[in-house]
Every structure is written in structure tokens, then in C-alpha cells.
Amino acid sequence: MSPIDERFALAVALMAGAAYGCRLVGYLIGRVAGQSPAVRRVLDALPASAMAAVIGPALVGADLLELAAAAVTAGVFLVSGRFLASLSAGAAVLVLAPGLIA
Amino acid sequence: MPTSPPLPSDSAPLTGFAAARAGAIACRSISASSFFFGLLYGAACAALGIATGLAALSSLLVFSGAVQFAMLPLVQDPLPAAAIAISSVLISTRLVLMGASIAPVMAPRPWPARLGALAVLTDGAWAATIAERRPVDRFAFFVGAGGSTLVLWVAGTTLGALLAALADPALLARLPFTGMLFLVLLLLMVTRAARLAVLPWLIAGAVSALAAQVVALEAAVLIAVAVGGGLAWWRGAAPAGGR
């Protein structure tokens, strides 16, 4: 197993534990506690904040092409509301634009 | 949003395999999207030098595109294990809410079946099951919806990793950033579908970007999530029209 595979295997174990753990904890909460508006409000806000917290530093470190791809992805989604079309448009910018520029 | 083909009004409730098949059909557009994302994810893994089998195994075990895409850029040397664990939990917190919501669907089944079914809990399967209004065995419907998405997600990952060997290395070097594109889209989609306030996550993103300049990424993520969650709580607790 290569060094990257060893690191990735550990990352997979951490990711799988986190994802399944959250599913299980949610199910157990649903069984015993129901859903209060206060809990729902925090649970709604945390994932979006976590995603933004990962995106923020990545965008700061991104090059112009990556920023353009992100802008196209977001723009297409905001206009069309179509997930797959938006991702395709952003990915197209990412992989096709360098060839067009050259 | 998943759609369900109509059943004749005099039809008997769907059970067993028929219910699972109905779930797979209702979730087909999301499953197709998963296949496409899987292609990108598999190719992005290959671009990093990750073995095809391991990439497929990650899709099988984690089954969360948001987590998998977001964590790819973090597979560095040394591995920031704490950042990966914390970020994975935080990004997966919506699974907590979906798990709580889906609890009544699981109730009639034995524990091993419930624990197994939880492994296929994703946004798409949850949305399709919650939206289903026909007389149907909702547990089997849910497993069919989630299971079919999982199969296509793993298949897409495997195919993407295999096809990446034929691609231009310069192109492959660009692919890991598709994880960020996916995350941007997921954030916008969740914000729109759940009518979330934009300000808390916008502030969280800015705080994380600034904090990452001076502290480790895991600390920056924690600080940003605390700020975003706190802001959302504060806005929710405020009198109407106050903020």
C-alpha cells in the first residue's frame, strides 16, 4: 500500500465513522426526543456553516481558473436551480478552459 | 425533487421488493446525479494517486459526497486527522436531522435491519421517502431509494477512477477542486431548499478564511462553525423583525 493510500485509508475510517455516527445519533434522538424547534434551528445552521468554513480557505488559496469555475457553478445554479447542470458547467470551465486559453 | 409515478387508485399497498423498486424509481434523478458525481470523485481520487479499490471502498463506507469531496484536499502528509474527523462530523450534522426525521419509518423493523438501513441514509433517499404519499412499505421504499443511489455512487467512483488512467495528467490535477464546486452547490441547494439564512454561513466562511491565515485549519473550522451556529441561534432568538 502506497503512503497516500495509507493516509487515505485512515481518512476513510474517520469519514465513515463520522457519517454513520451522525446517522445513528440522529435516529436515536428521533426515537427518544422528537424534534424541538430550537434543536432543528441549530442543526439546520451547523452544516451550512461547516461547509462554508471548508470552502472559505479553499477559495482564498484558489487560482483564477478555480475561482471562475466556482463562480460559474454558483451562477448557473442560482439562475437555473439545476444541480447537475451547474456542476457540469463548473467542471467544464475547470477542465476545458486551460485548453481554450492555450 | 424526486417524483413518483402514479399508481392506479385501486392498487394494493406496495410491499417488499415492489416497494424497494418504487423507491429506486422515485429517486432515479438523484441516483443519476450520484453516478456523475461518482465519476468526478473517482477521477479526483486517481489524480491524487489513490488506488481504485480504495476509492470505491470509500464511497461504499462513507456514502456522503459532501464529506468525501470536502476531505480530498486534506489527504496530505502529515494527515490532519483531527481536522478530517471534526469537519466530517460538522458537515454530516444534517444527517443527524434526517436520522431523527426518518425514525418513524424504521420503527417496525428489527434492530439489525434498522442499523443496516441507516447506512443508506442520504439527502436523496430521505427526501424521496418523506415526499412519498402512496400506500407503500416506507422502510423498503427508503432502502430501495438509498440502495440504488449507493450502487450508482460506487459504480461511478470505480469507473471514474479507471477512466482517469486514460486522461491527461494536467486535466486530472484540476479535478480535486470539483470537490469544492460540489460543496458550493450543496451549500446553495441546502440554503434554498431549507430557506436558511445566508448571513450565518457567509460570516462563517469569511471567519474561517481569515482564521486559517493565523491558526491551524481545524481550529479555523471550529471557530467559524461556532460563530455561524451562534449567529443563527441569536437571530432565531431575536424578536421578529429585530435582525
Side-chain angles (χ1 to χ4, degrees), chain B residues 101-202:
Chain B
S101 169
I102 209 79
V105 173
M106 307 277 191
R109 301 300 171 127
W111 269 102
R114 297 184 215 180
L115 294 175
L118 280 174
V120 298
L121 174 61
T122 55
D123 310 60
W126 171 79
T129 306
I130 296 302
E132 182 58 50
R133 292 288 175 265
R134 297 175 296 174
V136 62
D137 174 352
R138 290 162 65 79
F139 180 85
F141 182 95
F142 167 74
V143 171
S148 61
T149 306
L150 175 61
V151 167
L152 286 176
W153 173 236
V154 174
T157 300
T158 306
L159 191 59
L162 291 173
L163 291 179
L166 306 174
D168 177 10
L171 184 151
L172 287 178
R174 289 272 170 203
L175 285 180
F177 196 77
T178 55
M180 283 303 151
L181 302 183
F182 182 84
L183 213 55
V184 167
L185 268 179
L186 203 61
L187 179 58
L188 294 176
M189 187 186 77
V190 168
T191 300
R192 180 177 281 188
R195 297 178 184 174
L196 293 182
V198 172
L199 192 61
W201 64 252
L202 209 56

Side-chain angles (χ1 to χ4, degrees), chain B:
Chain B
M1 197 63 191
T3 54
S4 306
L7 286 177
S9 56
D10 59 347
S11 63
L14 293 176
T15 58
F17 180 75
R21 184 171 172 272
I25 291 171
C27 210
R28 63 188 181 279
S29 61
I30 292 173
S31 299
S33 297
S34 290
F35 181 75
F36 179 75
F37 299 144
L39 285 174
L40 291 178
Y41 174 72
C45 285
L48 291 173
I50 294 165
T52 301
L54 205 51
L57 187 66
S58 71
S59 286
L60 181 68
L61 295 179
V62 183
F63 193 26
S64 171
V67 171
Q68 291 172 248
F69 270 115
M71 294 308 116
L72 266 189
L74 299 184
V75 183
Q76 307 158 354
D77 187 17
L79 189 76
I84 289 175
I86 291 169
S87 302
S88 296
V89 167
L90 292 173
I91 293 173
S92 299
T93 47
R94 74 185 190 288
L95 292 174
V96 175
L97 187 64
M98 285 185 261
S101 169
I102 209 79
V105 173
M106 307 277 191
R109 301 300 171 127
W111 269 102
R114 297 184 215 180
L115 294 175
L118 280 174
V120 298
L121 174 61
T122 55
D123 310 60
W126 171 79
T129 306
I130 296 302
E132 182 58 50
R133 292 288 175 265
R134 297 175 296 174
V136 62
D137 174 352
R138 290 162 65 79
F139 180 85
F141 182 95
F142 167 74
V143 171
S148 61
T149 306
L150 175 61
V151 167
L152 286 176
W153 173 236
V154 174
T157 300
T158 306
L159 191 59
L162 291 173
L163 291 179
L166 306 174
D168 177 10
L171 184 151
L172 287 178
R174 289 272 170 203
L175 285 180
F177 196 77
T178 55
M180 283 303 151
L181 302 183
F182 182 84
L183 213 55
V184 167
L185 268 179
L186 203 61
L187 179 58
L188 294 176
M189 187 186 77
V190 168
T191 300
R192 180 177 281 188
R195 297 178 184 174
L196 293 182
V198 172
L199 192 61
W201 64 252
L202 209 56
I203 297 283
V207 166
S208 177
L210 289 173
Q213 306 300 315
V214 290
V215 298
L217 183 61
E218 47 264 67
V221 168
L222 271 180
I223 293 167
V225 169
V227 170
L231 186 57
W233 181 268
W234 178 69
R235 285 164 58 92
R243 287 150 195 159

Side-chain angles (χ1 to χ4, degrees), chain A residues 25-89:
Chain A
V25 166
Y27 171 66
L28 295 175
I29 290 173
R31 283 190 76 230
V32 301
Q35 295 174 47
S36 78
V39 171
R40 178 181 284 271
R41 187 166 60 238
V42 173
L43 289 177
D44 279 348
L46 284 179
S49 293
M51 288 180 204
V54 172
I55 293 168
L59 290 183
V60 169
D63 60 29
L64 278 179
L65 190 62
E66 291 170 338
L67 288 175
V72 167
T73 301
V76 171
F77 181 78
L78 291 175
V79 170
S80 70
R82 293 179 175 276
F83 200 98
L84 194 54
S86 308
L87 185 66
S88 303

